[in-house]
Structure formats: structure tokens, C-alpha cells
Amino acid sequence: MKKFNLIVYTDIDYPGMGSGPNPNTSNGCIDPECTKTQGLLIYNIPLKKGRFKIAKLDKNSQLKNEHASLSYLGNSGGVLNRYIYDGSIPGWIKITKFNKASGIIEGRFAISFSQDTQFDLLPLRNKMPKTSQFTNGLFRIKLTDVLLK
């Protein structure tokens, strides 16, 4: 079965970035020169319509539940805080449309992330909420293949 990874970056400010909002924020990172501030990743999503539990996306993984993450990034690209999916509710992604001809995939998701406790040295760890929740996430993306040689 074919699968894909949903990787979304944004330049939206977040708590701990400074005293005020960034006037250049466009709420998305389409431009390659974008300063990425947040990254959302969901791995091994089946390339077909349906609703899937995040915890069951990769049955061969050595990691328990961690098939999705949310990271807050610094200007140099380093991770300042990280949240992982640990099996909490909600934890699902639904593919609502897939157009093979255009490569456009549409869907929804709801995920509750918990602060990653593996990395104690992250600068914003314990300075931000212990959980981060997406309740009405929507996406519309164009599928791209990346070939590694």
C-alpha cells in the first residue's frame, strides 16, 4: 500500500519568540526563503480515502505511538520545543479526497500532542503548555515524490 508523509511548515510567531508579532508573517511557508517557526509532521498515512488512527499508522516502527510531532523552531532552524503524539485522544487523520491525476490530497485531522520529555535541554521546554491540541485541522496539498539516490 502506498503511503505519504504530511509535512507542514509555517512562519507564524509563537510564545517565546519576542515581544511582538512579526509584521512579515504570511501564515505559510510557500516561499523557499521563509523563516520556518513551526513544523507539523504526520508519518505513514495511507494514500487512500478513510479515517486512520495516528497510533496505528506504522506498525513496524520501533517507537511507541510517535508517528506525529509538532516542533517550534528558532531562526537558525534549531528545535526550541517539541511535542509528540503519545497515544492521547484525539489522534486521527482522515483523507477526504484524493485526485490521482492532479496529485491533490484533502483531509482533516485532530491530534493531542504532549511535550517531548526526551530532550531536557530544549530552551522552551517547561516554559510553554505541556500539551498542544489540534481539533479541526484541515489540509489540501499536492503530493510530490522525492527520490533518494
Side-chain angles (χ1 to χ4, degrees):
M1 174 187 311
K2 292 187 178 184
K3 297 182 178 191
F4 73 100
N5 298 328
L6 177 64
I7 303 171
V8 180
Y9 291 104
T10 183
D11 59 354
I12 299 172
D13 291 342
Y14 56 83
M17 284 194 71
S19 60
N22 177 356
N24 298 321
T25 297
S26 66
N27 298 336
C29 281
I30 296 172
D31 183 344
E33 299 300 316
C34 168
T35 301
K36 298 172 184 169
T37 58
Q38 298 176 52
L40 173 70
L41 299 109
I42 304 174
Y43 305 102
N44 297 305
I45 306 162
L47 193 53
K48 63 179 184 177
K49 284 184 176 182
R51 187 174 190 255
F52 309 98
K53 290 183 179 181
I54 300 294
K56 298 195 182 240
L57 291 180
D58 187 359
K59 295 176 183 171
N60 297 323
S61 176
Q62 299 298 316
L63 302 172
K64 184 182 178 188
N65 295 320
E66 190 182 330
H67 309 295
S69 66
L70 170 67
S71 298
Y72 290 98
L73 310 171
N75 287 340
S76 63
V79 175
L80 299 182
N81 201 7
R82 184 169 183 254
Y83 292 85
I84 58 171
Y85 177 71
D86 66 0
S88 300
I89 295 175
W92 56 267
I93 186 164
K94 182 177 183 179
I95 307 305
T96 55
K97 290 183 183 179
F98 174 44
N99 183 319
K100 284 185 180 182
S102 67
I104 301 293
I105 303 170
E106 295 181 26
R108 303 169 37 119
F109 60 93
I111 304 174
S112 182
F113 292 104
S114 298
Q115 194 162 220
D116 189 352
T117 57
Q118 182 178 354
F119 300 104
D120 288 331
L121 300 176
L122 295 177
L124 293 176
R125 186 159 181 264
N126 296 324
K127 294 179 183 172
M128 295 176 74
K130 293 202 181 290
T131 60
S132 183
Q133 192 165 19
F134 291 84
T135 55
N136 290 308
L138 299 171
F139 64 91
R140 183 177 191 269
I141 59 169
K142 181 167 178 56
L143 187 66
T144 57
D145 277 337
V146 177
L147 299 175
L148 302 176
K149 293 182 180 182

